[in-house]
Amino acid sequence: MSWLRRHPDPVTLERYANGESPDGEGERVQSHLLACSSCRDHVEFVRSLAREASQLSAPEPPTDLIRRVVAERSSSHGTIVALAGPARRELRPRRVAVLAAVLALVILAGILDRLVINGWSPHPANSSGPAEGADCMANSPLRQLLNASGLLLATACAQQATEPVPSEPVTAAVLDPSRLSPVRLRYEDRSTTDGIVTVVRSEEELTVQETTFKEMPAWRLVAVREHRFGAGRNFDTTYIDRETLRPLTTDWHYVTCCTNKRSHTRKAYSADSVTVHSSFKDWRRDFTVALPDSTMPIASGTHVNQLLVALPLSQGWEGSLLRLGWDPRGEPWYRTSLRVVGDDKVSVPAGTFDCWRLESPYDSGTIWWVSKDQQWLIKTWYRSDPDYEHETVLISAEELD
Amino acid sequence: MAGLSDAWAHSTDAELAARTREGDPDALAALYERFAGTLMRLAYHTVGSAADAEDVLHDVFLGLPEALERYEERGNLEAWLKRVTTRMALTHLRSRDRKREVAFAPHDEPSVSSDETAIARRIVLARALRTLPDSLRVVFVLKQIEGYTHQEIGELLGIRVGTSQVRFHRAVKRLQKLIRSEL
């Protein structure tokens, strides 16, 4: 078939539409277009997108923003500070290496069918119990906790690679609710990017308190995030079942500082789905998302920190987590995984803590440090490309009555 | 606002950059007056939210005097600022993705046109653009709104030219589907 009759692929047409065809290709495409209305339509559509996109409006830059910047720079609040972080590394190759290594281990160990990172294949009903000393498989408190709590936390323990993981839920009695306790934790976010060294003056205060929700014993998690320089605030209130740690409902509000515009998202969880309602001024969106596995609810926002408290962390522990979010692929939920890879002594404004170090190989190389005693989240760090790193640090902790 | 930057109204970009690098707040304000509109537009279409775009703009100008140490004055200052803003916007997107579920926050619809059809198309396009995954929207914005080549987009995002072209194609395909379903 000659070029004239063969349709160019859409990428070629789009190059042509944008005037980026290499030598020779443009003429061939042009000749084809003379005889092909469907390809002409596609070229015209791409060009119309360019015309219309260039006409899209955008908000005006705030007139007072530069005054705030100038004032902040002249203040003594350490707006511009140097940050020290772990040595630079290329995360993309590393992530590929980690994935390749994990996959190789999985295949070699023959644990692919038990690995629940993708999780959710059924396990033999009559699974044998764990070997003595196992702490993360089968009928272990972890598994019971996770299943009963409905935590979307499926475990794969390298030490017990041949031990099957039971699929039946466990009773609430095996939970250890005392791992959670009323507490107020305050965090600060910092980031540095592209040579712009900045303290991101965003602070979040998380308060965890016992309460009831629709007459059920529950934990109430309230997170208030003050965005930097008074740009706005987030309020996030999540209720979780006190015995299962399953989220019941989440209300998230964002209020802008100056115009007082409010955005609201509410999530209500049922056994197999979550219903989301979002609104902003006169805009509304409502939808329901089915959960991939009805036994495993979603860890959402501040809820994640409390899941860390409840986990039986130890060297070698590994587990997956399902989160509701807006993944770049467009999925309404995504899985991430955590594993304990070591321990460190970590100093943050709140003090110095002996911590487990957890990595999230599917989460762009995030490192989490969790204190060994109360398993509070002490610090997170990630570098998503050579020019960007981000950390969250605990600045104070207060145990409440 | 004008009071802060009157003294620099007739200065060249290079002069403003040099004085800003030295810590002159008036020069910084003049740069803001000169480029904030362009940078806000870029940030806004990249991150899809007015509030986030303001955060991006704020971060860019907060650290600009220090960042200008790396500006070698060989190229166009506006182009350099757009690169910095794009990278800052991308980091905000990453931060946003990981930190919280994001409520879809609408913003002002386009309002200036004498052609009702054009208005409707732009409203639909604006909405459709916001629903694109970040990775596709960023490429589309840089290509069709900011006029970067795929080579430049590849350098900016650390991806290959082919990847940029494919993402652009996927964005076009999704937009086509969304627009046709609305109009």
Side-chain angles (χ1 to χ4, degrees), chain A residues 86-104:
Chain A
R88 284 182 172 228
R89 55 185 176 173
E90 290 298 327
L91 282 184
R92 282 181 187 171
R94 182 180 183 280
R95 180 173 14 171
V96 170
V98 166
L99 287 173
V102 168
L103 184 59

Side-chain angles (χ1 to χ4, degrees), chain A residues 164-390:
Chain A
V165 177
S167 59
E168 66 275 11
V170 296
T171 62
V174 298
L175 297 178
D176 185 4
S178 66
R179 292 204 70 101
L180 268 70
S181 61
V183 67
R184 180 169 289 126
L185 305 170
R186 290 175 62 230
Y187 294 91
E188 182 178 272
D189 281 353
R190 305 166 173 172
S191 66
T192 181
T193 181
D194 227 14
I196 300 173
V197 181
T198 307
V199 170
V200 177
R201 296 189 62 194
S202 161
E203 290 191 358
E204 179 172 284
E205 181 178 279
L206 170 63
T207 306
V208 181
Q209 291 175 306
E210 289 180 328
T211 186
T212 58
F213 182 79
K214 294 185 179 177
E215 301 180 353
M216 287 190 300
W219 289 101
R220 180 174 58 220
L221 285 58
V222 178
V224 180
R225 173 178 289 271
E226 191 80 45
H227 289 272
R228 54 190 165 280
F229 316 111
R233 284 181 138 196
N234 283 117
F235 302 85
D236 181 339
T237 303
T238 297
Y239 287 87
I240 61 175
D241 185 290
R242 209 184 301 168
E243 292 185 355
T244 66
L245 301 187
R246 182 189 175 100
L248 299 168
T249 183
T250 295
D251 276 279
W252 180 86
H253 296 262
Y254 175 73
V255 182
T256 61
C257 74
C258 306
T259 58
N260 212 33
K261 292 179 185 173
R262 292 171 182 267
S263 174
H264 173 229
T265 295
R266 181 180 179 90
K267 298 189 192 79
Y269 299 87
S270 67
D272 56 4
S273 65
V274 54
T275 297
V276 181
H277 164 80
S278 284
S279 64
F280 181 68
K281 293 198 293 183
D282 59 352
W283 176 87
R284 298 283 183 272
R285 189 175 181 209
D286 297 279
F287 60 93
T288 298
V289 175
L291 300 180
D293 187 322
S294 62
T295 64
M296 299 183 184
I298 292 172
S300 175
T302 53
H303 187 206
V304 176
N305 291 4
Q306 295 308 299
L307 297 186
L308 294 172
V309 174
L311 298 174
L313 299 179
S314 63
Q315 187 65 37
W317 178 88
E318 182 173 359
S320 305
L321 193 67
L322 186 73
R323 301 191 63 174
L324 182 66
W326 305 105
D327 177 79
R329 292 164 296 169
E331 298 291 336
W333 52 266
Y334 62 96
R335 297 184 181 91
T336 187
S337 71
L338 294 172
R339 65 175 178 225
V340 176
V341 297
D343 54 0
D344 297 307
K345 197 176 284 286
V346 177
S347 291
V348 293
T352 298
F353 300 85
D354 287 317
C355 292
W356 294 114
R357 185 172 74 249
L358 289 80
E359 286 190 350
S360 182
Y362 302 105
D363 198 12
S364 300
T366 301
I367 301 176
W368 304 47
W369 286 272
V370 175
S371 62
K372 287 186 177 180
D373 49 7
Q374 286 122 329
Q375 291 190 189
W376 291 335
L377 179 64
I378 302 300
K379 178 177 173 180
T380 67
W381 179 92
Y382 68 89
R383 186 196 296 277
S384 56
D385 64 46
D387 295 314
Y388 178 78
E389 57 182 277
H390 181 111

Side-chain angles (χ1 to χ4, degrees), chain B residues 7 80 124 137:
Chain B
W80 183 85
V124 169
R137 185 179 65 252

